[in-house]
Amino acid sequence: MIGVRSVLMSRFKQMSWRARISIMAAAILLATVVIRTASDAPEIALMIGEPWEAMRQRSTASIDPAIAGQYWGRLPRSDARLRFLHSQYGFVTPLARFFTVSFDNSALVRGVRISPQVEPLLLEDALEVVLDLQEQWRRGGWKPIRPPIEGTAEWRARLRDVNQGGTTYWQAGHLYQVMLDVGRFRDDKRPKEERYLITLSIAKPWVKP
């Protein structure tokens, strides 16, 4: 890898300044497109306990109104990521296809249940999502109240076991709690592959530490 990098750098230095500028401009443009595409992804941006309509107006993904006087939930009308809003405990998920936001009989946001993926994932891809979410929580001051899922050989073996899987709980002070679960999932499109489903639930604390 180092040898290839040296060759590329040597060839880059041999180019005219016009060619160098063209390559650098193309690289900057590509990076801008990637960043803009990620930032433009539809999202549900919410706070637990806020009025449902405030969440709807803020979010860039479309979601239907709450039902007055009912405990129920809604799904965004497209794939969307979750942006959980809080000055300290906020975090962002990848795009999700399964995404339910619940409300109470006062039309306040009650909780979220989401699978932060658009298809069943290979184990390494699932672990990448899980470890990133846990790192966001750790940086924001969330505390694990059950052992976090790790990228170790022991955890990989546990996740591969259809009778085990892995579940962890994290808590943000006395305000919020998340349950994160990872398990084997039969993907009918790829029946010979090991695929995994991640489930994330967020609400006010419901499990004692």
Side-chain angles (χ1 to χ4, degrees), residues 42-151:
E43 67 179 25
I44 296 293
L46 59 75
M47 294 178 282
I48 301 296
E50 73 170 330
W52 186 266
E53 281 302 308
M55 177 269 294
R56 289 188 71 221
Q57 294 301 317
R58 182 191 308 114
S59 299
T60 57
S62 179
I63 190 168
D64 288 340
I67 303 172
Q70 298 288 322
Y71 286 87
W72 200 245
R74 296 293 198 186
L75 283 71
R77 295 184 181 180
S78 65
D79 294 346
R81 64 186 179 189
L82 168 67
R83 182 175 297 278
F84 188 79
L85 298 175
H86 189 275
S87 58
Q88 177 180 350
Y89 299 123
F91 63 93
V92 181
T93 73
L95 280 176
R97 185 149 296 168
F98 171 76
F99 191 154
T100 302
V101 187
S102 61
F103 50 82
D104 62 18
N105 60 352
S106 298
L108 301 178
V109 175
R110 188 182 184 193
V112 176
R113 187 172 177 85
I114 181 176
S115 182
Q117 58 200 93
V118 295
E119 63 177 354
L121 298 173
L122 295 169
L123 178 58
E124 295 307 312
D125 295 330
L127 275 173
E128 183 178 348
V129 172
V130 167
L131 296 179
D132 176 71
L133 286 171
Q134 291 183 142
E135 181 57 27
Q136 289 188 65
W137 298 335
R138 189 176 285 112
R139 290 198 307 264
W142 293 72
K143 304 296 182 183
I145 58 175
R146 299 289 189 276
I149 296 171
E150 304 289 354

Side-chain angles (χ1 to χ4, degrees), residues 18 103 150 152 169:
R18 292 180 184 276
F103 50 82
E150 304 289 354
T152 61
Y169 287 82

